[in-house]
């Protein structure tokens, strides 16, 4: 959702930014930094509010640390998605084009992010997509947060595995909670912001 939402403002603001940049009123750095700062409360508040309502209703792990970890992960996923939205918007410079290509860009990252198949089942020629998918790192972190050492109810079936065994069946390392997942999400978001700023700078200089 963040990708589609963030595709809207930059193309609409671009004519004004370009005119004021060429008039020497300000550069693209303070403009882009102001965008990041104004989006931060939204990036933090919305996932926190959504999870505050739904987390315990769904029946997820009833631990404060598990809840806070889930919130932190969702905030970082939103950060990476926001960076992609800004990059697509700045690279295209057109609202209709940005909206049209966002979904096709997202789909490969979503398909190979681990939700539909385990890491080990990914064909070798799709490995690069898997490793740069922010969905993968967010999904792995949420799975470890919920399932590691979790006792499962197997309805009398023995032997009954615990959540760690389930993680291993999905080729997820149960020891990878914060690292490298949070670092990857933050780096993806920051890198995409730099790409977006570079595209914006090229556009206002024309």
């Amino acid at each position: 959702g963040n990708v589609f939402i963030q595709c809207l403002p930059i193309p609409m603001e671009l004519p004004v930014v370009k005119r004021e940049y060429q008039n020497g009123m300000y550069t693209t750095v303070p403009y882009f930094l102001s965008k990041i700062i104004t989006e931060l409360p939204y990036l933090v508040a919305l996932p926190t509010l959504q999870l505050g309502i739904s987390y315990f209703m769904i029946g997820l792990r009833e631990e404060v640390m598990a809840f806070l970890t889930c919130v932190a992960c969702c905030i970082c996923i939103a950060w990476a998605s926001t960076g992609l939205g800004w990059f697509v918007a700045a690279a295209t410079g057109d609202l209709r084009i940005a909206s049209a290509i966002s979904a096709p860009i997202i789909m490969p990252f979503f398909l190979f992010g681990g939700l539909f198949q385990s890491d080990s089942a990914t064909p070798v020629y799709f490995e690069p997509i898997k490793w740069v998918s922010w969905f993968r790192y967010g999904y792995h972190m949420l799975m470890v947060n919920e399932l590691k050492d979790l006792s499962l109810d197997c309805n009398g079936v023995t032997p009954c595995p615990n959540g760690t065994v389930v993680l291993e069946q999905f080729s997820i390392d149960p020891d990878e909670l914060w690292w490298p997942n949070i670092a990857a999400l933050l780096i993806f978001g920051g890198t995409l912001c730099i790409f977006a700023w570079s595209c914006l700078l090229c556009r206002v200089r024309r």
Side-chain angles (χ1 to χ4, degrees):
N2 287 67
V3 176
F4 300 105
I5 293 171
Q6 299 304 333
C7 281
L8 303 177
I10 290 180
M12 292 189 291
E13 296 167 359
L14 188 58
V16 176
V17 175
K18 183 175 182 178
R19 183 177 66 248
E20 293 180 348
Y21 173 85
Q22 293 178 348
N23 288 339
M25 297 179 68
Y26 54 81
T27 65
T28 54
V29 173
Y31 165 75
F32 207 84
L33 286 177
S34 67
K35 271 196 101 52
I36 294 174
I37 292 169
T38 54
E39 285 296 327
L40 282 178
Y42 169 81
L43 288 174
V44 173
L46 189 58
T48 304
L49 179 62
Q50 290 176 331
L51 288 169
I53 296 171
S54 62
Y55 184 89
F56 296 102
M57 293 175 63
I58 296 170
L60 298 177
R61 207 164 193 154
E62 295 183 0
E63 299 173 9
V64 174
M65 193 60 195
F67 171 73
L68 294 177
T69 301
C70 185
V71 170
C73 180
C74 291
I75 290 172
C76 290
I77 293 171
W79 164 245
S81 301
T82 297
L84 179 63
W86 285 337
F87 173 56
V88 172
T92 60
D94 185 276
L95 180 59
R96 291 173 296 179
I97 297 175
S99 300
I101 68 172
S102 293
I105 290 174
I106 293 171
M107 194 55 64
F109 299 107
F110 185 68
L111 291 175
F112 298 103
L115 283 78
F116 300 105
Q117 60 182 10
S118 66
D119 270 8
S120 58
T122 304
V124 65
Y125 40 86
F126 287 129
E127 288 279 337
I129 298 175
K130 179 186 77 174
W131 290 111
V132 296
S133 171
W134 65 97
F135 291 113
R136 175 183 181 273
Y137 296 98
Y139 173 69
H140 280 205
M141 184 172 178
L142 292 173
M143 286 284 284
V144 173
N145 184 54
E146 178 62 26
L147 293 177
K148 184 178 180 181
D149 298 328
L150 182 69
S151 298
L152 303 177
D153 183 3
C154 300
N155 294 322
V157 177
T158 56
C160 184
N162 64 8
T164 302
V165 175
V166 176
L167 290 173
E168 292 170 350
Q169 290 174 347
F170 281 92
S171 304
I172 298 175
D173 188 342
D175 294 323
E176 291 184 355
L177 179 59
W178 292 93
W179 175 265
N181 300 315
I182 284 287
L185 291 170
L186 293 174
I187 290 170
F188 284 158
T191 303
L192 288 167
C193 284
I194 293 172
F195 288 165
W197 169 77
S198 302
C199 292
L200 181 67
L201 184 61
C202 292
R203 288 198 169 275
V204 298
R205 282 181 170 178
R206 290 180 181 176

